[in-house]
Amino acid sequence: MSLRADRNRSILPVTLWFVALWAFFQFAFPYHLALKERYVLFLSDATWLSTYFQKPAPLSYITGDWLTQFFLIPSAAALLVTALLILFWDGIRLILKPLGSKHPALWALLPTAVLAFLILFPEVPLAVLTGACFFAWLFAAAVRIRSRALRLGTFLLLLALLIPTARSLTPTARLSRISLEREYDYRIYFNACAGHWDRVEKMGLRNPHESVVTAYYYNLSQARADHLPDGLLKAYQPTWHGLFIPVREGVECFRLMASADALILSGDYAQAQHSAMLGMTFSPRQRSAAMLRTMSDIAFANGDYDTARRYLKMLSHTALYKRWAQEGLRLLDTEAGNLTLKNDCRDILVQHNDYRTSLANIAATASQGKTATDYLLCLDLLDKNLGNFREDYDTLYKGRYDRQTVPVLYQEALLMTFDENTSPADQLTEYRIARQTLDNITEFLKGNEGLFRKSYWFYYKYAQPAR
Amino acid sequence: MRHSWVLIGVALLLTSCGLSFSDKVAAGRVPQMFPDYTDITLPVNIAPLNFSVEGADALRLEIEGRASHLFKANGSEMRFPMKRWKQLMAAEAGDTLCLSLSARFGKETVRYAPFHWVVSADSIDHYMSYRLIEPAYEVWNVLSVEERDLESFRTRLLADNTRTEGTCINCHTANRGGQSQVSFMHVRGKKGGTLYSRDGKMRKLNTATDSTAGAAVYGEISADGRYGIFTTADIRPILHSGRHDKLEVFDASSDLILLDFEAGTVTDSPLTKGAAFQETFPCWSADGKTIYFCRASARPQPEETFDMHYDLCAVGFDPETGRMGDSLTTVVNAAAIGKSISFPKCSPDGKYILMTVSDYGTFPIWHSETDLWLYEIATGKISTLETVNGKYSDSYHSWNSDGHWICWASKRDDRLYGRPYFAHVSPDGTVSKPFVLPQKDPDHYLMTLKSFNIPELYRFPESYDASFVRDFYRDMKAEQMTYRP
């Protein structure tokens, strides 16, 4: 069959296939692809580039990482991946054609399907695709060599190159699951990173998969707006797991990275730095521009300007964090003496993931301790530990933050902690319990629980431990 | 006419490639070079001290010693040709060099204030090992131990945990001053053990016994390689909530154990075990007849970690019987001055103990106040080495085999990432301004996300590599050491 005839027959299915692939990436799983950007640090610097040549497949990684940094731009990931798949397909088609294949253009679609599936895993680097393109085109050129001996020699050479390259490109990190639930988590994460907190709130209220990560970012959106107790029970809460993401062995890298966000907001910079550092350490290749940025922020908060400068200097060689980094360096050069330290809490020793001790210390000793106090009280409540709640409320909240209206959530919980031996009226006054809350609990106790599904009493009675 | 064109061409070439330094601006300030190699003492056999000047388009370095030397570079990096560098060092050994650096930035040329290099005839040990690890607190993912040839930029992988199921690998340490090189390295994990290397023969040792509290941790090998003195410790990491320090590591318990590698035995002493005190970081004196170590009264931790102050203590040792003495002396009462001592290391000439001093606790690497102090054994005089210590942690040091050089991991540049620094120790105990391990690419330290950890100097190349360590981990059976009461 002539090249023209094959092209005419295959042009429609091939076009449809790649349009479908693009639509699949763009509309079904854009954030699975976008997450790759979190696992990459590409610096336009000769010293940095030279590190690629210490391992096999340097060109694949260089081109792959360079392109991956643009995945931060919406729609870029789907377009770039589809374009690379087209390049790969064309290379395979050119290999198959001289080998006598009847429909090389159609057969060449099969390996693109395999690669399209593989590339969806966030831990699989884009270098897999760029490497596949390089080799497809090198083999395509090799099959056109006329001298049989030379052709065979070139093939063997390419195969010898292909094996270490394939080994190097095989991800060593554990692969995450591909699912719509994950896609929703990644989407809310990127919306939070971009500062689209209104979208985060809406997504959190929906939380169709009852996901811990989605609940976590919903709570973050509420805490940012100083509405954490007000908004807490309006959305799905997987007990206290929606407040903090524990850092422990085997936790996937995405969660490690995400875990820093609530810690930063609550002022727990020590654990936040721990999380960010682990996020980078356990990223597939121990590199992450996003985590460098987070660690720069934390270094600023701690007054670690030498550390911040180091990270900012690296980030000033990136394509998309460059401007941000240069602004940071300018601040360090001109205004380092005037910068406000965000971390001014008392130094104590805390086990990692011991949120209670850490939050109590921040709430008691930091100058900006309101968010930490709310997180601590919500942690007590979601953990159904009313004893801790009352103790923390009395020592950290009462008299400091209850001058205005006490959040309904706290009022509802306080009612459950009242002392039977003390006058109810005095306690109602002392704890500023609203008349409406009192009426509500009366109704609730009468059996009209369905009317109070968003109340703490309902949560306390019915919430099950998180999966 | 033809000659004129050639001359014009040459002139254009010279000006365009940026080597014209005729329009110098006398800046009179110290060069902003990275790394800072101004006013240092360097060993005659060290690799070229390549450096960069940020933003420079061209560099010119004039060196005046017994002879004049001129080095030029296009761009911001001065990379000395190896052959010329060796010739320079050989010609100027024992001399003080005066260096004048000029840098061109666009059309402006800056001539910096001159600085000097003292080329010490005292050679530094040929090799150094260090661990490369992310400064990720108490956990690791990918780590490796490298051997660096200090006379060139060659490195060799001694161990790589991607080949040993991701286990921790640490403490590559050689016997200093011995005639034959003996070293050990701990490889943790299910199939791990202590790699004991002597005269090219490798052994895998299980140093944990039922009668002692776990496997060997920090320690040293005696100069003849027969004995090893180590800590056994239940190590616990914990975070600081404040902004100054990041991580604290404390020992829930710790004792000393003595290994006899020839007899295959582990022994201890009532003086250095038990719950009343915590003992750690043991080392041998130069003559092998004293064991120095750090000791503190046991306290509940982490509640009282801030009050843990480790003194420097000593106990005698009889190499003939392999027994520790029956009395213990406090050499430096650190608690009395509100300090805590870690990592004592005796100089091979027996004159000094170099130690790490911090405000409290037993894991100074993450304490920004940590400094190196030099203790003179004969007089009890302590030098706080103010010109040596940096802004942040200086710790985990090692002596050169002849005692003229020290190296250590310093976080002085950014608080977080350790880099190997060297300094010269004069016979009178004066220590020179430190300089960082030179790299072929001078910007290497700015572009790496790995911390250089546990730098260790030694004379001969290690007799194994990462492939051996992989087989050692996977296939070699460990010799079980036995407890000798």
Side-chain angles (χ1 to χ4, degrees):
Chain A
M1 187 185 294
S2 73
L3 183 64
R4 185 181 294 270
D6 178 48
R7 188 179 292 166
N8 289 342
R9 279 188 180 209
S10 53
I11 194 159
L12 185 64
V14 169
T15 307
L16 282 175
W17 169 250
F18 283 111
V19 169
L21 267 187
W22 170 79
F24 176 72
F25 290 133
Q26 176 64 35
F27 299 111
F29 290 101
Y31 293 99
H32 274 69
L33 293 182
L35 198 61
K36 288 184 199 298
E37 188 275 334
R38 301 281 116 164
Y39 301 156
V40 158
L41 173 64
F42 185 88
L43 307 182
S44 302
D45 173 87
T47 306
W48 184 258
L49 290 178
S50 69
T51 63
Y52 282 95
F53 290 90
Q54 292 162 3
K55 290 188 174 171
L59 293 178
S60 305
Y61 274 115
I62 287 174
T63 48
D65 286 1
W66 183 76
L67 288 171
T68 307
Q69 58 182 337
F70 299 106
F71 282 22
L72 206 53
I73 302 168
S75 305
L79 275 174
L80 283 169
V81 168
T82 311
L84 285 171
L85 284 170
I86 293 171
L87 264 178
F88 174 68
W89 163 80
D90 207 27
I92 299 293
R93 185 182 66 86
L94 291 172
I95 296 169
L96 294 177
K97 206 168 84 53
L99 299 178
S101 171
K102 271 194 172 179
H103 302 290
L106 295 180
W107 283 112
L109 291 178
L110 279 179
T112 64
V114 175
L115 275 185
F117 172 71
L118 270 181
I119 211 70
L120 268 184
F121 290 99
E123 294 81 7
V124 173
L126 194 65
V128 167
L129 208 44
T130 53
C133 289
F134 283 136
F135 275 96
W137 281 87
L138 286 171
F139 275 109
V143 294
R144 277 162 178 73
I145 295 172
R146 294 201 173 168
S147 156
R148 196 171 169 180
L150 189 59
R151 190 168 64 229
L152 187 66
T154 312
F155 254 89
L156 289 174
L157 181 71
L158 287 176
L159 278 174
L161 276 173
L162 180 62
I163 292 163
T165 304
R167 280 183 64 180
S168 168
L169 292 173
T170 306
T172 48
R174 199 178 60 184
L175 298 183
S176 313
R177 222 160 19 95
I178 299 170
S179 71
L180 290 173
E181 179 184 344
R182 293 293 174 98
E183 180 66 16
Y184 201 85
D185 286 347
Y186 301 156
R187 194 171 137 205
I188 199 167
Y189 165 73
F190 276 101
N191 273 297
C193 292
H196 300 144
W197 292 102
D198 50 339
R199 287 188 214 166
V200 171
E201 184 176 2
K202 282 179 193 160
M203 288 181 71
L205 286 169
R206 280 187 58 216
N207 198 355
H209 307 285
E210 296 195 342
S211 147
V212 170
V213 173
T214 300
Y216 169 83
Y217 275 105
Y218 167 78
N219 291 334
L220 208 57
S221 75
Q222 299 305 295
R224 279 182 56 83
D226 198 18
H227 292 155
L228 183 60
D230 302 311
L232 192 73
L233 295 182
K234 288 180 183 164
Y236 166 74
Q237 291 298 338
T239 71
W240 68 268
H241 296 285
L243 292 175
F244 295 103
I245 298 175
V247 172
R248 57 171 74 101
E249 201 177 343
V251 170
E252 66 180 280
C253 182
F254 159 68
R255 285 186 175 229
L256 285 174
M257 290 180 170
S259 69
D261 293 338
L263 295 165
I264 290 173
L265 188 68
S266 61
D268 191 346
Y269 293 99
Q271 293 206 63
Q273 185 168 21
H274 184 239
S275 288
M277 187 63 90
L278 294 195
M280 187 158 77
T281 302
F282 288 91
S283 63
R285 283 184 296 132
Q286 301 87 54
R287 299 170 169 193
S288 166
M291 285 304 99
L292 279 194
R293 181 177 168 159
T294 303
M295 288 195 288
S296 303
D297 282 335
I298 295 167
F300 265 100
N302 281 330
D304 280 346
Y305 300 133
D306 292 331
T307 309
R309 185 181 295 279
R310 183 189 207 286
Y311 290 139
L312 291 170
K313 278 199 165 184
M314 291 184 87
L315 288 171
S316 66
H317 293 280
T318 58
L320 299 189
Y321 297 94
K322 185 178 183 174
R323 199 173 293 174
W324 179 87
Q326 286 172 340
E327 176 57 20
L329 285 170
R330 190 196 63 74
L331 269 178
L332 285 178
D333 289 336
T334 58
E335 294 173 44
N338 303 323
L339 295 172
T340 314
L341 294 177
K342 291 183 182 167
N343 184 4
D344 58 356
C345 70
R346 185 168 55 103
D347 187 20
I348 58 165
L349 297 174
V350 193
Q351 296 283 358
H352 64 267
N353 301 335
D354 181 359
Y355 306 112
R356 211 173 167 276
T357 307
S358 181
L359 288 171
N361 178 54
I362 297 163
T365 64
S367 54
Q368 302 289 323
K370 172 70 165 58
T371 310
T373 310
D374 280 332
Y375 260 100
L376 176 64
L377 295 175
C378 291
L379 182 70
D380 292 338
L381 292 179
L382 292 178
D383 200 26
K384 297 189 184 180
N385 194 328
L386 287 172
N388 281 348
F389 168 75
R390 177 64 183 267
E391 188 187 330
D392 292 334
Y393 187 92
D394 285 345
T395 53
L396 300 167
Y397 198 91
K398 193 161 162 266
R400 284 172 85 187
Y401 305 117
D402 65 346
R403 293 191 187 104
Q404 295 172 344
T405 318
V406 174
V408 174
L409 176 76
Y410 295 166
Q411 291 185 41
E412 290 172 347
L414 284 167
L415 279 175
M416 298 167 76
T417 68
F418 276 2
D419 183 1
E420 289 174 5
N421 300 321
T422 311
S423 150
D426 289 350
Q427 293 185 76
L428 289 171
T429 311
E430 185 184 350
Y431 287 95
R432 304 167 66 89
I433 307 295
R435 179 79 235 170
Q436 183 65 50
T437 313
L438 204 58
D439 294 344
N440 288 350
I441 197 169
T442 312
E443 282 297 309
F444 185 86
L445 293 172
K446 279 181 187 167
N448 294 325
E449 294 175 351
L451 296 172
F452 303 100
R453 287 179 175 275
K454 304 292 182 193
S455 70
Y456 184 65
W457 312 309
F458 196 89
Y459 173 86
Y460 191 83
K461 191 169 179 185
Y462 294 109
Q464 298 294 316
R467 62 195 153 108
Chain B
M1 186 64 192
R2 195 173 167 178
H3 288 292
S4 306
W5 281 114
V6 170
L7 283 173
I8 291 167
V10 169
L12 278 172
L13 195 67
L14 280 175
T15 49
S16 65
C17 67
L19 293 178
S20 167
F21 282 82
S22 54
D23 52 345
K24 285 169 186 164
V25 174
R29 55 191 162 96
V30 178
Q32 299 296 301
M33 56 159 57
F34 182 84
D36 176 11
Y37 287 140
T38 60
D39 302 329
I40 56 167
T41 301
L42 60 155
V44 65
N45 61 332
I46 193 75
L49 301 188
N50 294 345
F51 64 86
S52 67
V53 177
E54 193 176 350
D57 297 315
L59 300 173
R60 176 191 170 97
L61 183 67
E62 294 164 56
I63 303 178
E64 291 296 329
R66 292 187 185 109
S68 297
H69 311 267
L70 177 64
F71 292 90
K72 295 177 184 175
N74 272 325
S76 61
E77 293 181 356
M78 177 63 75
R79 297 193 188 204
F80 297 93
M82 185 62 82
K83 197 173 169 187
R84 283 193 65 201
W85 174 266
K86 295 281 179 199
Q87 287 167 349
L88 168 73
M89 290 292 108
E92 304 292 351
D95 196 15
T96 298
L97 307 179
C98 182
L99 295 93
S100 297
L101 176 68
S102 304
R104 190 169 62 74
F105 300 90
K107 289 180 180 172
E108 188 185 61
T109 302
V110 176
R111 187 187 185 104
Y112 295 104
F115 57 97
H116 71 266
W117 283 351
V118 178
V119 182
S120 169
D122 298 329
S123 294
I124 198 164
D125 282 350
H126 200 143
Y127 297 95
M128 171 192 209
S129 68
Y130 45 76
R131 185 168 68 162
L132 291 173
I133 186 171
E134 291 95 355
Y137 301 178
E138 82 287 15
V139 295
W140 63 90
N141 183 9
V142 176
L143 62 85
S144 58
V145 178
E146 275 188 0
E147 178 177 86
R148 165 75 187 265
D149 180 340
L150 291 177
E151 297 184 2
S152 71
F153 297 109
R154 279 190 297 272
T155 58
R156 199 164 64 90
L157 201 57
L158 291 186
D160 169 7
N161 79 332
T162 59
R163 306 181 197 198
T164 57
E165 300 176 356
T167 58
C168 182
I169 301 171
N170 54 35
C171 300
H172 175 261
T173 306
N175 65 325
R176 258 169 297 282
Q179 289 308 305
S180 65
Q181 187 161 295
V182 186
S183 71
F184 75 87
M185 183 166 69
H186 302 307
V187 182
R188 309 297 182 188
K190 275 189 290 189
K191 301 176 207 162
T194 295
L195 198 172
Y196 176 78
S197 163
R198 181 171 196 166
D199 301 327
K201 189 184 169 200
M202 265 68 75
R203 292 163 67 192
K204 183 178 183 176
L205 304 173
N206 181 4
T207 57
T209 71
D210 291 339
S211 306
T212 49
V217 190
Y218 313 110
E220 257 192 17
I221 293 182
S222 58
D224 65 0
R226 175 172 178 178
Y227 296 106
I229 181 76
F230 289 91
T231 307
T232 58
D234 177 3
I235 297 170
R236 308 262 178 95
I238 195 163
L239 300 175
H240 278 273
S241 64
R243 66 188 185 87
H244 290 297
D245 294 318
K246 313 294 172 202
L247 182 76
E248 195 60 52
V249 177
F250 65 86
D251 297 341
S253 61
S254 61
D255 291 326
L256 301 189
I257 53 168
L258 181 82
L259 308 187
D260 182 338
F261 295 110
E262 285 180 10
T265 58
V266 180
T267 188
D268 52 18
S269 159
L271 284 175
T272 58
K273 72 171 184 180
F277 292 96
Q278 295 197 343
E279 299 87 359
T280 187
F281 301 129
C283 72
W284 299 100
S285 62
D287 62 6
K289 292 180 178 171
T290 306
I291 295 165
Y292 292 96
F293 61 99
C294 302
R295 187 176 88 143
S297 298
R299 288 170 177 271
Q301 296 195 71
E303 295 81 6
E304 295 184 22
T305 298
F306 291 116
D307 298 319
M308 288 294 290
H309 297 283
Y310 284 77
D311 299 325
L312 179 65
C313 296
V315 64
F317 176 71
D318 182 353
E320 298 299 319
T321 60
R323 295 281 182 188
M324 286 192 240
D326 50 13
S327 67
L328 184 151
T329 52
T330 299
V331 180
V332 178
N333 186 345
I337 51 170
K339 295 286 181 187
S340 189
I341 294 174
S342 313
F343 308 125
K345 301 266 179 174
C346 293
S347 63
D349 60 9
K351 285 170 74 178
Y352 301 105
I353 296 174
L354 187 65
M355 56 201 184
T356 297
V357 180
S358 52
D359 285 349
Y360 61 90
T362 181
F363 205 75
I365 291 170
W366 285 96
H367 283 220
S368 50
E369 83 282 0
T370 297
D371 282 340
L372 297 175
W373 287 10
L374 192 65
Y375 174 79
E376 192 173 14
I377 296 172
T379 62
K381 200 177 124 194
I382 289 177
S383 166
T384 54
L385 303 180
E386 280 169 21
T387 55
V388 173
N389 290 302
K391 198 172 169 186
Y392 303 121
S393 161
D394 290 278
S395 68
Y396 229 120
H397 42 277
S398 152
W399 286 92
N400 201 58
S401 57
D402 64 5
H404 290 309
W405 294 94
I406 50 173
C407 84
W408 69 98
S410 177
K411 297 185 174 179
R412 65 187 59 207
D413 298 295
D414 54 35
R415 189 193 275 263
L416 214 51
Y417 291 85
R419 296 169 187 169
Y421 273 77
F422 304 98
H424 182 255
V425 184
S426 304
D428 65 354
T430 309
V431 186
S432 66
K433 181 187 165 188
F435 66 95
V436 74
L437 171 70
Q439 299 287 349
K440 188 173 188 177
D441 184 335
D443 288 344
H444 176 85
Y445 295 111
L446 301 175
M447 290 292 158
T448 181
L449 292 168
K450 297 279 187 186
S451 193
F452 287 72
N453 193 225
I454 324 174
E456 179 80 11
L457 292 167
Y458 51 98
R459 290 188 295 171
F460 308 107
E462 192 48 89
S463 48
Y464 55 82
D465 62 9
S467 300
F468 172 80
V469 172
R470 179 196 58 205
D471 298 341
F472 164 89
Y473 181 80
R474 289 182 186 171
D475 306 326
M476 195 185 268
K477 196 168 182 306
E479 297 170 37
Q480 176 61 54
M481 299 191 85
T482 53
Y483 180 71
R484 184 176 65 130

